[in-house]
Amino acid sequence: MSASPLVGWDDIAAVAPDGLAVLDCVGRFVRLNPAAAALLRADAEGDLIGASSPFTSVAGAAECRAGLLEVRSDEQVAHWEPARGPRREFAYRARSLPADPKFTVVSFRDVTDERHRQRRIAAIARTSIALASEGSLGSTLDAVAQQIVQADGLAGVQILTLDSTGRELRLMGSAGLRHWDAFLDRLLECQDRGARLSMLDALREREAIVVPHRWAQILEDPAWEPLHGYLGELNWDSFVSVPLMARGRPEGVLNAYFAPGQEIGSRTLEFLAAMAEQAALAVDYATLLQREREGARRNERQRLARDLHDSIVQQVFSIGMQANAVGVLGARDKAVPAEAVRAFADEVGSLSRTVLADLRAMVHELRPASSLRLGLEDAVTTLVKSTENRTGLSIRLECGHQVDTVEPELAEDMYRIVGEAIHNVVKHAEATTVTIRLAVHDHTLTAAIRDDGRGITESGGRRLAQENEDGEAATATGQHGYGLRTMRERTERWGGTMRIRSGARSGTTVRVVIPLPVRVPQAPPGSEGSGSIPSAVPLRETENPARSGS
């Protein structure tokens, strides 16, 4: 005896939490449960009967592939534009009715917010990747702006940065807005006419400024007339300005233009704040990199000045002294012996050749690019020969057959490391021989520079670095400090390590190990930003207390 069902299927469909719909053979609604009508923003189930659905029939459905952040891989996604309210996204499954295959049953749910969060997470992840790339600051900030527009469907985004004085803004990244060189000039004109700029409020108060229905306010304000045409090209309504904060100080501002109907809730502001933080990191990194480069150039000038004083200036001074001595002898009435003249000529000639060799060595150290185009081995070989010719030092160079396969930028850093090590030997080690080994093995570039000098010492001879249990010398200070520091920084830039072994009677060995980079396929053409926009506008305060502006 079969048991009668306690609840009918119509009753189950009526209370099902997911939307249930029956479609005919051309994808029109035949029947809907109450949940489906609510998800589709219909007043009653019957309002949509006969209307086209957004769902693909089973026969026309393409294979569904799971995205990175998707769990239910057998679902497809459809977009629905209701008669009222914003566009919705539905995840759905479709099955044909076994009894009548021309009808399809669809089960669907609203995933608009879920997929929105996924796009935001993906935008933050892609932005982090952009920050790790070697693109310019402008292209990086363009990418950040583009990710925001794509993730939230905004009308447009601008990213402006402050200069080192904190008094000038530059438009460095944008998406959704037409590039217009005169934009910042017109913005300054609006400010002079009395318009209040909300971005200045965001920078001053160091918090996000939200201005609902801002476009309507701008249209009614004659102070904004110079930008009416340009901003009118966007289909936008509200405005948000978020400061870029790094190390507790503002580095710029992110301006977001919202499309009509878009809500600005707490999650939206959290997302904009997260993206503003990513942009601030990019600006802060670019600032630190610029300072590092300026410091490196300053230190290089100081080193050149020291080298000029230690060698060339003293040698030129000696030449001058010899010339004065010849002048004194020539002023006498007595004839100058030929032997004395030859001695003066030999001394001046020797000093002149030494000065010329030192100058050539300095020029080569500053401009190794021509040699590096031929390979790291040729560049180091040229440096070795130049050093031997001007110092009399015996240098043995051993290079592996794959050394010249190293990419140019890494090759230049390794060249500089070897050059600084040789420079230290010449200036401080009192060595007679040096051995340099360069090799590529197991996807690693190694360099070892060993001398037979007195070890790392101060000018008075006292050991400057004590060996640890492994025989490695601690980082030296004094005369060696800058050189060793720059060598270590160049090594660590590539994720490598530098070790120093130094003994009073065993000389010094510098060993550098750098893992070679692993190449990956390049991104498709056009995936990078369009570059920076080199426009600038100085900040000026106005007396208008209204909190408005863009």
Side-chain angles (χ1 to χ4, degrees), residues 401-462:
H401 67 282
Q402 291 185 320
V403 167
D404 285 341
T405 63
V406 176
E407 64 177 84
E409 191 172 359
L410 174 55
E412 180 168 352
D413 271 341
M414 180 57 77
Y415 171 87
R416 298 291 187 183
I417 291 170
V418 173
E420 184 61 40
I422 294 175
H423 173 80
N424 287 338
V425 172
V426 172
K427 291 297 181 182
H428 309 295
E430 298 181 1
T432 57
T433 61
V434 178
T435 301
I436 302 173
R437 293 185 174 89
L438 293 172
V440 173
H441 182 66
D442 291 338
H443 212 67
T444 300
L445 173 63
T446 61
I449 304 95
R450 181 177 181 180
D451 65 71
D452 62 352
R454 61 177 181 170
I456 300 178
T457 65
E458 292 181 293
S459 58
R462 181 173 56 85

Side-chain angles (χ1 to χ4, degrees), residues 345-356:
D346 291 342
E347 182 67 19
V348 171
S350 176
L351 289 171
S352 299
R353 287 190 294 272
T354 302
V355 169
L356 183 60

Side-chain angles (χ1 to χ4, degrees), residues 35-339:
L39 290 172
L40 295 166
R41 297 293 196 272
D43 295 329
E45 296 98 290
D47 292 348
L48 291 174
I49 300 302
S52 296
S53 78
F55 309 113
T56 303
S57 63
V58 175
E63 179 184 357
C64 183
R65 297 180 179 179
L68 174 64
L69 302 174
E70 297 175 7
V71 178
R72 306 172 73 173
S73 60
D74 60 337
E75 288 184 322
Q76 299 182 79
V77 176
H79 300 275
W80 174 252
E81 298 283 354
R84 52 184 174 83
R87 187 180 74 162
R88 313 305 297 172
E89 292 182 77
F90 298 136
Y92 72 95
R93 297 185 181 88
R95 300 288 187 274
S96 295
L97 279 175
D100 194 347
K102 69 176 179 289
F103 292 104
T104 301
V105 176
V106 177
S107 171
F108 63 98
R109 59 192 179 92
D110 192 331
V111 293
T112 305
D113 293 339
E114 176 184 336
R115 290 179 63 82
H116 192 186
R117 286 194 297 271
Q118 292 173 0
R119 285 193 292 271
R120 286 176 169 176
I121 294 172
I124 295 174
R126 283 191 290 266
T127 301
S128 299
I129 294 172
L131 295 181
S133 70
E134 296 184 1
S136 67
L137 177 61
S139 63
T140 299
L141 295 183
D142 276 337
V144 174
Q146 189 63 40
Q147 291 298 331
I148 298 172
V149 168
Q150 292 177 351
D152 269 25
L154 301 185
V157 169
Q158 294 172 324
I159 300 177
L160 299 95
T161 63
L162 284 168
D163 69 347
S164 58
T165 66
R167 298 297 302 168
E168 189 174 76
L169 279 172
R170 289 181 172 84
L171 182 58
M172 293 296 291
S174 65
L177 292 97
R178 173 177 60 88
H179 170 55
W180 186 32
D181 291 336
F183 168 72
L184 289 172
D185 291 333
R186 296 295 179 268
L187 186 64
L188 180 59
E189 183 179 346
C190 293
Q191 187 186 27
D192 290 339
R193 292 163 63 114
R196 182 78 179 200
L197 307 185
S198 292
M199 68 177 74
L200 301 188
D201 294 330
L203 286 170
R204 182 171 51 252
E205 300 179 15
R206 301 188 178 187
E207 63 179 24
I209 300 297
V210 180
V211 188
H213 311 300
R214 183 62 189 129
W215 175 231
Q217 299 172 19
I218 287 178
L219 280 177
E220 295 174 358
D221 188 350
W224 285 95
E225 191 276 333
L227 282 175
H228 281 172
Y230 177 70
L231 294 178
E233 297 175 3
L234 277 182
N235 181 26
W236 69 288
D237 178 28
S238 299
F239 176 83
V240 173
S241 187
V242 183
L244 311 183
M245 301 298 298
R247 304 172 187 267
R249 65 177 183 274
E251 295 284 358
V253 68
L254 186 154
N255 294 334
Y257 299 80
F258 284 75
Q262 287 185 320
E263 296 182 359
I264 307 175
S266 59
R267 289 184 176 178
T268 299
L269 294 178
E270 288 175 3
F271 172 64
L272 290 178
M275 296 300 284
E277 184 177 357
Q278 297 286 326
L281 288 174
V283 176
D284 189 48
Y285 173 75
T287 302
L288 292 175
L289 185 61
Q290 179 63 27
R291 290 175 181 171
E292 180 182 351
R293 288 171 177 169
E294 291 174 355
R297 286 194 292 267
R298 182 173 58 254
N299 291 333
E300 184 67 15
R301 287 194 296 268
Q302 292 174 351
R303 187 181 73 83
L304 286 174
R306 184 179 66 247
D307 289 350
L308 284 169
H309 179 270
D310 290 346
S311 57
I312 297 176
V313 171
Q314 294 179 9
Q315 292 161 2
V316 171
F317 178 77
S318 298
I319 292 175
M321 293 295 292
Q322 294 290 343
N324 289 336
V326 172
V328 171
L329 291 177
R332 298 176 180 176
D333 294 335
K334 297 180 180 180
V336 180
E339 184 177 349

